[in-house]
Amino acid sequence: MISVDNISVVFGGFELFSGVSFMINARDRIGLTGRNGAGKTSLLRIIHGKMKPSSGSLAISSGSSTGYLPQQMKLSDDTSIMDETLKAFHDLKEMEKKMHQVNEQISAREDHSSDEYLGLCDRLTDLQEQYRIRGGDRYMAEAEQALAGLGFERRQFDQPSSTLSGGWRMRIELAKILLAKPSVILLDEPTNHLDIVSIQWLESYLLSYPGAVIVVSHDRAFLDNVCNRTLELSLGKIYDYRVSYSKFVELRKERREHQLAAWKNQQKMIGDNEKFIERFRYKNTKAVQVQSRIKKLDKLDRIEIEEEDTSAITIKFAPAPRSGTIVIEAEALSKSYDRHAVLRDIDFIIERQEKIAFVGRNGEGKTTFARIIMGELDYGGKLKKGHNLNIGYFAQNQDELLDESLTVFQTIDNVARGEIRTKIRDILGAFLFSGEEIDKKVSVLSGGERSRLALIKLLLEPYNLLILDEPTNHLDMRSKDILKQALVKYDGTLIVVSHDRDFLDGLVEKIYEFRNKKIREFNGGVYEFLEKRKIENLKAIEEKDVQTLETQREKKSGNKVQYLQKKEYEKELRKKQKVLTGIEEKISKLEKTRAGMDARLSAHDTDISDHAFFREYEEVNHLINKEMINWEKASIELERLRSNNKDK
């Protein structure tokens, strides 16, 4: 379908890559990987035709097309979300205009038996058939599917797209690319703009996509779930592995070990020859041999290997100052922007040394709640902070607080204490600052570089509560591993807002999901949460909680509760538990229905050709939200009953 033949890219005197050749076949799922600056984005731009190689050629088969989503792009639109999305169907919209024009011409004529009239009828028939074959009868449904899958609600479809943040507008661009159905989809860090739910939808969509897909991503889980082939750009060359990303990592390690062994042997040979040349350079009897060895070294094809993988670096931070047992406690906390409620009546407790993830769709209040904890926003209800709390906060604008007059090295050197000072250069290298880059002034750094530097600075200061809002967006795989290892060993309290499943896996033991203005707590890791989210069984969870609470209460109560009081209490308890169980069963049935509808969306069901399906989908979501409110009320009543009994 697309043949990349011996292409090279040279900027000034610097060669980015050379001799790169590979084929892109229909249905390929390719993960394009390599260090930052290896040339991944340049290669995608060449394939899309946005950039020309310095040498070599690109051959695209007739009828093939590409769609490209860059990491950042200038967006200018003055239409609604839906109208902007429908630009993906420009050809179909033009056909609609032509059909309308022909229809008007037919309606205006009365010579129903003339050749011209019959010719117009034939023309309309041909247009209608082409329109049907090209999906004209279902493109609206496809647009609604894509927008819903990427996190938009139907009520937003008529909203002006210019009112959205850059991340949400990039979702519209992604939807347009998917709907245009190019032969090859090129995605450069697509998960930076998505939440966990939308990432899972995109994975399902790409797996069933009829064309080829090439993805640049630092999301290991996304690459593993989507790609079955990995292309690596390394030292200006390309290596093709017909395996998933995780398998590629294993094979790459083996290849590097072989390269390293060959490099060591070559270095020994070079060293031996250089010593011989130096020793006998001025001896006439050895002149021929010296010249022979000099020529041999000049002609030698020297082996290159990448710098040592910095993910082996381990960082041990100073112990976090001890805080109170209760770190954060919220009671009936609410937050609204004008009339728009983001959080409503939130109750929960975070205890010392807990490691927690905030997850949920964008706009559900994760960052808002983090900023409330930091004291940056006002709110309703109560929020109590624990004793001796020292909070470190990483947000996307954290780089604005850096001193622009300092160098990269000085910025970190000023906050490093103790043993960690001996590893400053290693740590900077692990976060993609190496060589002369550490002497750059902060004022000349890019936004991504500043974010990485702000993150390092934050991690080296003595905080006992860290709140990290999307800390992995500007990090490569190795940097994420370094950060994750450091946070696993961190002995303070951690709150992470992230959509990176691989990063969260093994790091957090509790998930708070922000949904429908509420926060729901899940004990366990991120993959356990995602599994529960699919086949959630509230009844089993609640029954387990009831048994645990009742056992504890019996031990504490002893003989204080009289027999008749206990019987009355148990009767009322069973009644409220029955109500709760009934609600849970309704939720379970509704979520099974929604899961089936989600499967239809992921499968691109061609039978969905009108709005009825989406009205039903919205109604199911509405009923689930309604029952969740009922469930919360019933749970509160149940807990109130238990609390009152405990006080007697």
Side-chain angles (χ1 to χ4, degrees):
M1 187 161 54
I2 297 181
S3 173
V4 178
D5 185 23
N6 202 35
I7 65 171
S8 300
V9 171
V10 179
F11 295 111
F14 172 70
E15 187 177 70
L16 186 62
F17 53 74
S18 65
V20 168
S21 300
F22 60 93
M23 287 284 296
I24 303 171
N25 306 303
R27 300 286 302 174
D28 267 350
R29 297 291 182 271
I30 299 171
L32 180 59
T33 188
R35 290 192 171 189
N36 284 23
K40 302 185 294 296
T41 294
S42 296
L43 186 54
L44 290 186
R45 286 169 54 82
I46 289 170
I47 295 171
H48 187 52
K50 288 287 186 182
M51 175 178 170
K52 290 185 178 180
S54 303
S55 63
S57 62
L58 189 79
I60 303 178
S61 61
S62 176
S64 294
S65 59
T66 60
Y68 173 47
L69 182 77
Q71 288 191 47
Q72 301 291 337
M73 62 191 301
K74 292 183 179 179
L75 300 167
S76 58
D77 46 67
D78 54 2
T79 59
S80 69
I81 291 172
M82 177 56 78
D83 287 342
E84 185 64 28
T85 303
L86 291 178
K87 288 181 181 179
F89 301 104
H90 173 74
D91 291 347
L92 287 172
K93 302 288 279 185
E94 288 299 311
M95 290 182 71
E96 285 179 348
K97 289 180 182 178
K98 290 178 182 178
M99 287 190 294
H100 180 68
Q101 291 169 357
V102 175
N103 256 321
E104 286 186 334
Q105 293 175 35
I106 291 173
S107 299
R109 300 184 73 101
E110 296 181 358
D111 53 339
H112 297 168
S113 58
S114 69
D115 289 342
E116 288 184 12
Y117 180 85
L118 295 175
L120 286 172
C121 291
D122 289 341
R123 171 68 173 151
L124 180 61
T125 301
D126 289 343
L127 283 170
Q128 288 173 335
E129 182 63 15
Q130 291 178 40
Y131 183 76
R132 185 191 63 79
I133 291 171
R134 294 171 65 176
D137 57 346
R138 62 179 184 274
Y139 75 85
M140 279 296 298
E142 290 180 355
E144 290 177 346
Q145 287 177 26
L147 289 175
L150 291 172
F152 291 95
E153 297 180 15
R154 184 173 177 75
R155 60 179 174 78
Q156 296 178 284
F157 289 177
D158 295 327
Q159 178 182 334
S161 56
S162 58
T163 63
L164 300 175
S165 66
W168 280 99
R169 293 171 81 184
M170 288 294 282
R171 293 191 191 206
I172 298 176
E173 294 304 309
L174 176 56
K176 287 161 64 177
I177 291 169
L178 300 179
L179 292 168
K181 296 183 176 65
S183 307
V184 182
I185 292 177
L186 309 167
L187 303 177
D188 197 348
E189 296 290 357
T191 62
N192 281 358
H193 313 292
L194 304 177
D195 52 68
I196 285 180
V197 175
S198 298
I199 290 172
Q200 288 184 306
W201 179 87
L202 180 60
E203 287 174 352
S204 298
Y205 188 99
L206 294 178
L207 285 173
S208 60
Y209 187 72
V213 178
I214 302 181
V215 178
V216 173
S217 179
H218 291 141
D219 187 328
R220 187 182 278 107
F222 183 76
L223 289 175
D224 273 338
N225 290 337
V226 172
C227 302
N228 53 18
R229 181 181 172 193
T230 304
L231 292 176
E232 182 196 21
L233 276 172
S234 175
L235 296 172
K237 305 296 180 185
I238 200 157
Y239 299 88
D240 194 347
Y241 298 80
R242 303 277 173 166
V243 295
S244 65
Y245 182 81
S246 290
K247 185 64 177 175
F248 148 75
V249 172
E250 297 175 14
L251 296 176
R252 182 187 182 280
K253 183 179 179 182
E254 293 176 9
R255 189 194 88 214
R256 193 178 187 286
E257 288 173 352
H258 294 150
Q259 283 182 327
L260 188 59
W263 178 82
K264 287 179 178 178
N265 288 335
Q266 188 181 73
Q267 290 300 304
K268 183 178 184 305
M269 182 271 289
I270 291 170
D272 291 344
N273 278 283
E274 287 177 341
K275 287 178 182 177
F276 182 90
I277 292 167
E278 187 63 28
R279 181 178 178 185
F280 298 109
R281 182 184 295 274
Y282 304 107
K283 289 195 175 183
N284 293 334
T285 56
K286 299 287 186 179
V288 175
Q289 292 171 296
V290 167
Q291 288 302 313
S292 174
R293 297 202 181 198
I294 290 174
K295 290 178 181 179
K296 180 180 179 181
L297 291 181
D298 288 342
K299 293 179 180 179
L300 185 66
D301 185 10
R302 303 205 174 211
I303 297 170
E304 290 182 284
I305 59 169
E306 283 193 333
E307 295 176 13
E308 190 67 34
D309 190 343
T310 56
S311 64
I313 295 174
T314 57
I315 303 173
K316 184 178 180 181
F317 297 113
R322 185 178 178 85
S323 67
T325 302
I326 303 299
V327 175
I328 300 291
E329 183 175 4
E331 294 181 20
L333 186 144
S334 299
K335 174 63 182 175
S336 297
Y337 293 99
D338 295 326
R339 295 183 179 180
H340 175 61
V342 179
L343 300 171
R344 183 177 292 153
D345 294 329
I346 303 302
D347 295 316
F348 77 91
I349 291 175
I350 297 176
E351 297 184 355
R352 184 176 63 242
Q353 294 187 322
E354 283 191 317
K355 289 185 168 68
I356 293 167
F358 285 177
V359 303
R361 291 180 184 271
N362 292 354
E364 290 284 357
K366 304 184 298 296
T367 297
T368 294
F369 190 74
R371 293 183 64 195
I372 287 173
I373 294 175
M374 289 301 301
E376 295 180 1
L377 297 174
D378 58 0
Y379 56 90
K382 295 180 180 179
L383 181 75
K384 299 177 184 177
K385 298 180 184 178
H387 172 69
N388 195 35
L389 200 59
N390 189 15
I391 307 175
Y393 180 44
F394 176 82
Q396 294 307 301
N397 65 344
Q398 199 69 19
D399 56 287
E400 297 173 6
L401 304 178
L402 296 173
D403 186 340
E404 294 193 345
S405 67
L406 298 178
T407 66
V408 169
F409 184 85
Q410 288 170 339
T411 300
I412 303 307
D413 188 50
N414 286 352
V415 297
R417 299 288 183 272
E419 181 187 347
I420 203 73
R421 293 181 60 81
T422 64
K423 296 184 178 181
I424 290 178
R425 292 180 183 275
D426 289 339
I427 294 170
L428 288 170
F431 285 88
L432 311 180
F433 294 104
S434 57
E436 297 177 356
E437 291 179 334
I438 69 172
D439 296 319
K440 282 184 179 179
K441 293 279 189 180
V442 171
S443 58
V444 303
L445 298 181
S446 67
E449 288 172 327
R450 287 182 177 221
S451 290
R452 294 200 305 272
L453 187 62
L455 184 58
I456 302 170
K457 184 172 181 286
L458 182 74
L459 294 176
L460 294 183
E461 298 193 60
Y463 297 116
N464 50 25
L465 170 60
L466 283 178
I467 303 175
L468 308 181
D469 193 350
E470 299 292 1
T472 64
N473 275 0
H474 298 289
L475 303 182
D476 68 355
M477 299 287 193
R478 285 178 289 273
S479 303
K480 285 199 294 186
D481 287 341
I482 294 287
L483 175 60
K484 182 175 177 178
Q485 289 170 16
L487 293 176
V488 166
K489 296 174 183 176
Y490 174 63
D491 61 353
T493 307
L494 175 67
I495 298 173
V496 184
V497 180
S498 179
H499 58 253
D500 190 321
R501 293 156 294 175
D502 183 72
F503 181 74
L504 294 177
D505 185 33
L507 174 60
V508 300
E509 65 270 358
K510 184 180 288 187
I511 309 290
Y512 282 118
E513 183 191 18
F514 287 66
R515 187 168 60 148
N516 300 325
K517 304 173 183 58
K518 295 289 185 181
I519 299 178
R520 299 179 63 198
E521 179 182 320
F522 290 82
N523 287 308
V526 64
Y527 285 107
E528 293 174 274
F529 156 73
L530 291 172
E531 187 62 26
K532 287 178 181 178
R533 205 54 185 80
K534 289 180 180 178
I535 54 170
E536 192 175 357
N537 188 340
L538 293 175
K539 180 179 178 181
I541 296 170
E542 177 61 22
E543 285 179 350
K544 184 176 180 181
D545 290 344
V546 168
Q547 291 170 3
T548 303
L549 287 167
E550 289 305 311
T551 300
Q552 293 173 348
R553 190 165 287 108
E554 282 295 320
K555 289 180 180 178
K556 292 180 180 179
S557 299
N559 296 323
K560 291 183 180 179
V561 180
Q562 298 297 319
Y563 176 76
L564 291 177
Q565 290 177 321
K566 184 176 179 181
K567 295 293 284 185
E568 184 63 28
Y569 163 72
E570 289 176 348
K571 179 181 177 181
E572 187 66 18
L573 184 67
R574 285 193 298 271
K575 181 180 176 182
K576 291 191 180 298
Q577 285 174 341
K578 185 177 180 180
V579 171
L580 195 64
T581 299
I583 296 172
E584 289 164 354
E585 288 173 351
K586 288 181 184 178
I587 293 172
S588 181
K589 289 178 182 178
L590 287 168
E591 293 204 331
K592 284 180 182 177
T593 301
R594 184 169 65 182
M597 300 178 86
D598 285 339
R600 290 179 66 188
L601 287 172
S602 298
H604 321 301
D605 193 335
T606 55
D607 292 334
I608 305 172
S609 57
D610 55 39
H611 301 320
F613 174 84
F614 294 96
R615 282 195 293 271
E616 182 184 352
Y617 188 78
E618 278 192 350
E619 178 62 21
V620 170
N621 278 321
H622 172 72
L623 290 173
I624 289 174
N625 293 339
K626 180 181 177 182
E627 292 303 329
M628 284 304 304
I629 292 171
N630 292 337
W631 183 85
E632 287 162 2
K633 288 179 180 177
S635 296
I636 291 169
E637 289 181 7
L638 184 61
E639 280 305 309
R640 187 178 291 123
L641 175 66
R642 292 174 180 153
S643 179
N644 290 340
N645 181 68
K646 180 180 178 182
D647 294 338
K648 289 180 181 179

